[in-house]
Amino acid sequence: MTASSPAQPASPAKRETFSSRRLFILSAIGSAVGLGNIWRFPYIAYDNGGGAFLIPYLVALLTAGIPLLFLDYAVGHKFRGSAPLAYRRLHRAAEPLGWWQVLVCFVIAAYYAVIIAWSVMYTVFSFTEAWGDDAEGFFFGNFLSIAEAPGLGFEYVPSVFFPLLLTWAAVILIMVAGIRKGISRANAILLPLLMVMFLLLVVQSLFLPGAAEGLNAFFTPDWAALANPAVWAAAYGHIFFSLSVGYGIMVTYASYLKRRTDLTGSGMVVAFSNSGFEILAGIGVFAALGFMAQAAGTAVDEVVTQGIGLAFVAFPTIVSQAPFGAFMGVLFFGSLVFAGITSLISVLEVMVAAVQDKLGWGRVQASLVVSGLVAAVSLGLFPTATGLYLLDTSDAFVNSFGITLGALVTVLVLAWFLRKLPLLSAHLNRISTVKMRRTWMILVAGVVPLALIYMVSNEFISKITATYEGYPEWFVGIFGWGMAGALVVLALALTFIPWSHRSKAHHDPEYDAVVAEEEKEKAL
């Protein structure tokens, strides 16, 4: 280059890819199979018609979950970038959607890691059944040392802080290692282990006294429930959260696929594997709850619970009463750890990829800075006496007004304002076995928005008419409504920050080659 030649930007590092379709599928399943599959689906199914719930669940999967999953795949794979870059390449006006998804992931990662840390400790506690005869008192009192009233305190709880620190250290190592040596390898090891452990747990649960009563409660259909719109809304709501769609994960993972990959075939495997695991979880959980009910001399409906109550109160009680209970506890809480880690690394990857693309940073630098920042927030706010209140509020509002509202806005923008569904449909059909044509576009542009509008409206009405969980208004205002609103404002602000001259937005030979190849195919 002569002295008078203009300086050329350094070529960005070559984008990593999954080394095989199998590893992508494992990683996508690892993201979808999370804590909610184990502790949320069984209760949702039981509370909404039992066996009859499988009908609206399957309808929701086919008409909304899978179509939205394919939408994410198409955006990420065609535009070969993180969520902000992929949406920017689709249309400049769509870039804020990507940053909104990145920020949603920031909030989720900060509190999600805490539940993994609890599960790590409870795996250890299972060996000695450390919770004794009062699992509830042990969890909220001895273990969490929960404050009497919600607030923002900094009274740290060592039994939560140190396992959380260990969790972040392990996850950061995975993120620094990259797509092939880190995320792919972690999923290739942890997901099979999770499946084996959970199968052993289910088998053990099925041989417990009272297991049949639990399964009868889970599977007995209430056909009248199918006439209730709330049951169908519950099915659609669960599917949206279950498949990791609508907040950047599948956009990012799809961008790491090779150019000739069967997107729809892969998506079908991911979707039905996730659903299969959920039904398996329902069998295992309700067999164990049936045993718990028989041991307590009560009906199954009196012991059924979900979420934190199921995992850290009901299951320890079952472990204390069951034959070989310690083994059951290790299987259950170990499964929570593995399911949590495979989901957490997918959430972090959305942020790491976005920073790499925006600033042109290398993998190690982006992983350390992003994961370190989230870890600092997580360690600073959640392993405290008030951490549970903050976790509960953040989770409720980021799900309703981050994931759900964000997915609604994304679908409306892509389908109705930018009218990009034909373009994305053509991309899916060009390389996939199962073709997505007019029916897919009708589902994405019609059924999905209607379901999301119903969900968002219900959540808004319920949370505006009464203060969430009776918490102080200032607390909910800051960490609920304030957090949800800040995500939108910050997403717009990040959009206006200039992309680095080293970023792939300005100079990406790999993406240019993909575009040239597609144009050549169109011309033939």
Side-chain angles (χ1 to χ4, degrees), residues 461-480:
I461 292 170
S462 68
K463 288 183 171 61
I464 203 71
T465 52
T467 305
Y468 179 70
E469 293 292 331
Y471 294 164
E473 290 187 5
W474 70 266
F475 186 80
V476 176
I478 294 173
F479 299 107

mmCIF file of all heavy atoms in Angstrom, residues 461-480:
data_model
loop_
_atom_site.group_PDB
_atom_site.id
_atom_site.type_symbol
_atom_site.label_atom_id
_atom_site.label_comp_id
_atom_site.label_asym_id
_atom_site.label_seq_id
_atom_site.Cartn_x
_atom_site.Cartn_y
_atom_site.Cartn_z
ATOM 1 N N ILE A 461 -53.194 -5.731 32.121
ATOM 2 C CA ILE A 461 -54.363 -5.473 32.958
ATOM 3 C C ILE A 461 -54.151 -6.006 34.381
ATOM 4 O O ILE A 461 -54.447 -5.327 35.373
ATOM 5 C CB ILE A 461 -55.621 -6.104 32.328
ATOM 6 C CG1 ILE A 461 -55.983 -5.365 31.036
ATOM 7 C CG2 ILE A 461 -56.802 -6.064 33.300
ATOM 8 C CD1 ILE A 461 -57.051 -6.048 30.211
ATOM 9 N N SER A 462 -53.619 -7.233 34.478
ATOM 10 C CA SER A 462 -53.433 -7.827 35.806
ATOM 11 C C SER A 462 -52.407 -7.065 36.635
ATOM 12 O O SER A 462 -52.552 -6.925 37.850
ATOM 13 C CB SER A 462 -53.017 -9.291 35.680
ATOM 14 O OG SER A 462 -51.713 -9.400 35.133
ATOM 15 N N LYS A 463 -51.370 -6.552 35.984
ATOM 16 C CA LYS A 463 -50.310 -5.881 36.734
ATOM 17 C C LYS A 463 -50.609 -4.399 36.986
ATOM 18 O O LYS A 463 -50.029 -3.791 37.887
ATOM 19 C CB LYS A 463 -48.971 -6.035 36.007
ATOM 20 C CG LYS A 463 -48.415 -7.453 36.103
ATOM 21 C CD LYS A 463 -47.060 -7.574 35.452
ATOM 22 C CE LYS A 463 -46.423 -8.917 35.754
ATOM 23 N NZ LYS A 463 -47.167 -10.074 35.289
ATOM 24 N N ILE A 464 -51.502 -3.813 36.189
ATOM 25 C CA ILE A 464 -51.832 -2.406 36.397
ATOM 26 C C ILE A 464 -52.968 -2.244 37.408
ATOM 27 O O ILE A 464 -53.108 -1.203 38.051
ATOM 28 C CB ILE A 464 -52.202 -1.714 35.060
ATOM 29 C CG1 ILE A 464 -51.986 -0.200 35.140
ATOM 30 C CG2 ILE A 464 -53.632 -2.017 34.654
ATOM 31 C CD1 ILE A 464 -50.557 0.226 35.176
ATOM 32 N N THR A 465 -53.788 -3.281 37.542
ATOM 33 C CA THR A 465 -54.943 -3.182 38.448
ATOM 34 C C THR A 465 -54.577 -3.507 39.898
ATOM 35 O O THR A 465 -55.304 -3.132 40.819
ATOM 36 C CB THR A 465 -56.070 -4.143 38.007
ATOM 37 O OG1 THR A 465 -55.530 -5.460 37.836
ATOM 38 C CG2 THR A 465 -56.678 -3.682 36.698
ATOM 39 N N ALA A 466 -53.483 -4.202 40.115
ATOM 40 C CA ALA A 466 -53.044 -4.518 41.478
ATOM 41 C C ALA A 466 -51.522 -4.553 41.510
ATOM 42 O O ALA A 466 -50.884 -5.027 40.567
ATOM 43 C CB ALA A 466 -53.602 -5.867 41.923
ATOM 44 N N THR A 467 -50.939 -4.046 42.589
ATOM 45 C CA THR A 467 -49.489 -4.052 42.716
ATOM 46 C C THR A 467 -48.985 -5.490 42.759
ATOM 47 O O THR A 467 -49.495 -6.310 43.526
ATOM 48 C CB THR A 467 -49.053 -3.313 43.995
ATOM 49 O OG1 THR A 467 -49.602 -2.007 43.985
ATOM 50 C CG2 THR A 467 -47.538 -3.209 44.056
ATOM 51 N N TYR A 468 -47.999 -5.805 41.959
ATOM 52 C CA TYR A 468 -47.519 -7.171 41.813
ATOM 53 C C TYR A 468 -47.158 -7.777 43.174
ATOM 54 O O TYR A 468 -46.324 -7.241 43.912
ATOM 55 C CB TYR A 468 -46.311 -7.209 40.874
ATOM 56 C CG TYR A 468 -45.742 -8.587 40.693
ATOM 57 C CD1 TYR A 468 -46.434 -9.565 39.994
ATOM 58 C CD2 TYR A 468 -44.517 -8.936 41.272
ATOM 59 C CE1 TYR A 468 -45.922 -10.851 39.848
ATOM 60 C CE2 TYR A 468 -43.992 -10.215 41.123
ATOM 61 C CZ TYR A 468 -44.713 -11.161 40.408
ATOM 62 O OH TYR A 468 -44.211 -12.431 40.270
ATOM 63 N N GLU A 469 -47.801 -8.898 43.498
ATOM 64 C CA GLU A 469 -47.556 -9.682 44.711
ATOM 65 C C GLU A 469 -47.689 -8.858 45.998
ATOM 66 O O GLU A 469 -47.184 -9.269 47.058
ATOM 67 C CB GLU A 469 -46.160 -10.326 44.673
ATOM 68 C CG GLU A 469 -46.001 -11.398 43.619
ATOM 69 C CD GLU A 469 -46.834 -12.639 43.931
ATOM 70 O OE1 GLU A 469 -47.077 -12.911 45.115
ATOM 71 O OE2 GLU A 469 -47.249 -13.328 42.973
ATOM 72 N N GLY A 470 -48.319 -7.677 45.911
ATOM 73 C CA GLY A 470 -48.451 -6.845 47.094
ATOM 74 C C GLY A 470 -47.149 -6.181 47.522
ATOM 75 O O GLY A 470 -47.048 -5.632 48.629
ATOM 76 N N TYR A 471 -46.145 -6.204 46.646
ATOM 77 C CA TYR A 471 -44.874 -5.563 46.963
ATOM 78 C C TYR A 471 -45.052 -4.045 47.005
ATOM 79 O O TYR A 471 -45.993 -3.509 46.411
ATOM 80 C CB TYR A 471 -43.811 -5.922 45.912
ATOM 81 C CG TYR A 471 -43.410 -7.379 45.877
ATOM 82 C CD1 TYR A 471 -42.718 -7.888 44.784
ATOM 83 C CD2 TYR A 471 -43.700 -8.246 46.920
ATOM 84 C CE1 TYR A 471 -42.330 -9.226 44.733
ATOM 85 C CE2 TYR A 471 -43.323 -9.584 46.878
ATOM 86 C CZ TYR A 471 -42.646 -10.065 45.774
ATOM 87 O OH TYR A 471 -42.266 -11.386 45.725
ATOM 88 N N PRO A 472 -44.144 -3.311 47.651
ATOM 89 C CA PRO A 472 -44.254 -1.844 47.670
ATOM 90 C C PRO A 472 -44.281 -1.267 46.255
ATOM 91 O O PRO A 472 -43.573 -1.758 45.361
ATOM 92 C CB PRO A 472 -42.988 -1.415 48.421
ATOM 93 C CG PRO A 472 -42.616 -2.598 49.255
ATOM 94 C CD PRO A 472 -43.019 -3.810 48.462
ATOM 95 N N GLU A 473 -45.086 -0.225 46.071
ATOM 96 C CA GLU A 473 -45.237 0.360 44.738
ATOM 97 C C GLU A 473 -43.915 0.877 44.194
ATOM 98 O O GLU A 473 -43.633 0.755 43.003
ATOM 99 C CB GLU A 473 -46.283 1.476 44.777
ATOM 100 C CG GLU A 473 -47.703 0.960 44.988
ATOM 101 C CD GLU A 473 -48.735 2.067 44.864
ATOM 102 O OE1 GLU A 473 -48.350 3.209 44.526
ATOM 103 O OE2 GLU A 473 -49.929 1.797 45.104
ATOM 104 N N TRP A 474 -43.084 1.478 45.067
ATOM 105 C CA TRP A 474 -41.800 1.998 44.588
ATOM 106 C C TRP A 474 -40.906 0.861 44.079
ATOM 107 O O TRP A 474 -40.178 1.019 43.091
ATOM 108 C CB TRP A 474 -41.080 2.781 45.686
ATOM 109 C CG TRP A 474 -40.557 1.920 46.814
ATOM 110 C CD1 TRP A 474 -41.184 1.636 47.986
ATOM 111 C CD2 TRP A 474 -39.293 1.236 46.853
ATOM 112 N NE1 TRP A 474 -40.408 0.804 48.764
ATOM 113 C CE2 TRP A 474 -39.235 0.543 48.098
ATOM 114 C CE3 TRP A 474 -38.218 1.120 45.979
ATOM 115 C CZ2 TRP A 474 -38.149 -0.222 48.474
ATOM 116 C CZ3 TRP A 474 -37.135 0.348 46.355
ATOM 117 C CH2 TRP A 474 -37.103 -0.301 47.589
ATOM 118 N N PHE A 475 -40.980 -0.289 44.743
ATOM 119 C CA PHE A 475 -40.147 -1.429 44.368
ATOM 120 C C PHE A 475 -40.562 -1.974 43.004
ATOM 121 O O PHE A 475 -39.723 -2.177 42.112
ATOM 122 C CB PHE A 475 -40.278 -2.513 45.447
ATOM 123 C CG PHE A 475 -39.365 -3.690 45.246
ATOM 124 C CD1 PHE A 475 -38.032 -3.622 45.611
ATOM 125 C CD2 PHE A 475 -39.834 -4.877 44.695
ATOM 126 C CE1 PHE A 475 -37.180 -4.711 45.436
ATOM 127 C CE2 PHE A 475 -39.003 -5.974 44.519
ATOM 128 C CZ PHE A 475 -37.669 -5.882 44.892
ATOM 129 N N VAL A 476 -41.871 -2.164 42.829
ATOM 130 C CA VAL A 476 -42.383 -2.642 41.545
ATOM 131 C C VAL A 476 -42.186 -1.585 40.466
ATOM 132 O O VAL A 476 -41.883 -1.901 39.310
ATOM 133 C CB VAL A 476 -43.871 -3.028 41.662
ATOM 134 C CG1 VAL A 476 -44.439 -3.436 40.307
ATOM 135 C CG2 VAL A 476 -44.052 -4.155 42.674
ATOM 136 N N GLY A 477 -42.324 -0.329 40.830
ATOM 137 C CA GLY A 477 -42.144 0.754 39.859
ATOM 138 C C GLY A 477 -40.740 0.812 39.299
ATOM 139 O O GLY A 477 -40.541 1.059 38.100
ATOM 140 N N ILE A 478 -39.760 0.549 40.151
ATOM 141 C CA ILE A 478 -38.362 0.619 39.700
ATOM 142 C C ILE A 478 -37.928 -0.676 39.018
ATOM 143 O O ILE A 478 -37.420 -0.671 37.893
ATOM 144 C CB ILE A 478 -37.427 0.921 40.897
ATOM 145 C CG1 ILE A 478 -37.698 2.330 41.441
ATOM 146 C CG2 ILE A 478 -35.961 0.784 40.478
ATOM 147 C CD1 ILE A 478 -36.933 2.640 42.709
ATOM 148 N N PHE A 479 -38.126 -1.796 39.709
ATOM 149 C CA PHE A 479 -37.577 -3.064 39.224
ATOM 150 C C PHE A 479 -38.542 -3.844 38.347
ATOM 151 O O PHE A 479 -38.166 -4.868 37.769
ATOM 152 C CB PHE A 479 -37.124 -3.923 40.410
ATOM 153 C CG PHE A 479 -36.048 -3.283 41.220
ATOM 154 C CD1 PHE A 479 -36.319 -2.753 42.479
ATOM 155 C CD2 PHE A 479 -34.766 -3.167 40.716
ATOM 156 C CE1 PHE A 479 -35.322 -2.143 43.222
ATOM 157 C CE2 PHE A 479 -33.754 -2.546 41.442
ATOM 158 C CZ PHE A 479 -34.035 -2.036 42.701
ATOM 159 N N GLY A 480 -39.774 -3.388 38.234
ATOM 160 C CA GLY A 480 -40.741 -4.000 37.339
ATOM 161 C C GLY A 480 -41.001 -3.119 36.138
ATOM 162 O O GLY A 480 -40.397 -3.274 35.073
#
